[in-house]
Amino acid sequence: MSEGHHHHHHGHRHHKEKPAGETDYKKEEKHHKHKESVGKLGAVAAGAFALHEKHKAKKDPEHAHSHKIKEEIAAAVAVGAGGYALHEHHKKKEAKKKY
């Protein structure tokens, strides 16, 4: 490296070290909020796909059974994703309470 040129590390923050075992509850809250949003998005997407397959079952009677099975699977995934979102919502509330 030639004289006068230095590397600058922009955006690098110096944080105080946390003692071992100490949790950053604000960070944990944000993490659960993100996962809750992902769960909601999954529930909406799976629900939309279930409705799409229900529509296809009506329009395509020859393959109605296949579409009905896909619809039921998508509906089950939507319920599961909704449950996951609810679980993360409660985890987020716990972290917020501790903060």
Side-chain angles (χ1 to χ4, degrees):
M1 191 160 50
S2 63
E3 219 174 307
H5 291 91
H6 299 280
H7 286 284
H8 295 278
H9 298 282
H10 298 284
H12 182 76
R13 296 180 182 168
H14 293 278
H15 294 285
K16 290 181 182 173
E17 289 295 316
K18 289 193 178 294
E22 191 174 319
T23 306
D24 185 347
Y25 292 110
K26 193 69 179 167
K27 189 174 182 181
E28 186 179 332
E29 179 188 354
K30 189 175 180 182
H31 178 70
H32 289 298
K33 184 177 182 179
H34 173 74
K35 290 171 83 174
E36 177 186 356
S37 297
V38 169
K40 286 179 183 179
L41 182 61
V44 169
F49 186 74
L51 289 174
H52 169 75
E53 287 298 326
K54 185 175 185 170
H55 176 74
K56 283 184 103 172
K58 289 178 183 176
K59 295 292 179 186
D60 184 12
E62 190 177 334
H63 301 106
H65 182 70
S66 172
H67 292 300
K68 188 71 180 159
I69 289 170
K70 290 176 187 175
E71 174 195 347
E72 290 173 5
I73 291 169
V77 170
V79 170
Y84 177 75
L86 187 61
H87 166 77
E88 288 300 328
H89 177 74
H90 288 294
K91 288 286 196 178
K92 178 185 74 175
K93 283 173 64 175
E94 273 180 29
K96 191 172 188 174
K97 189 187 273 187
K98 289 177 184 177
Y99 177 70

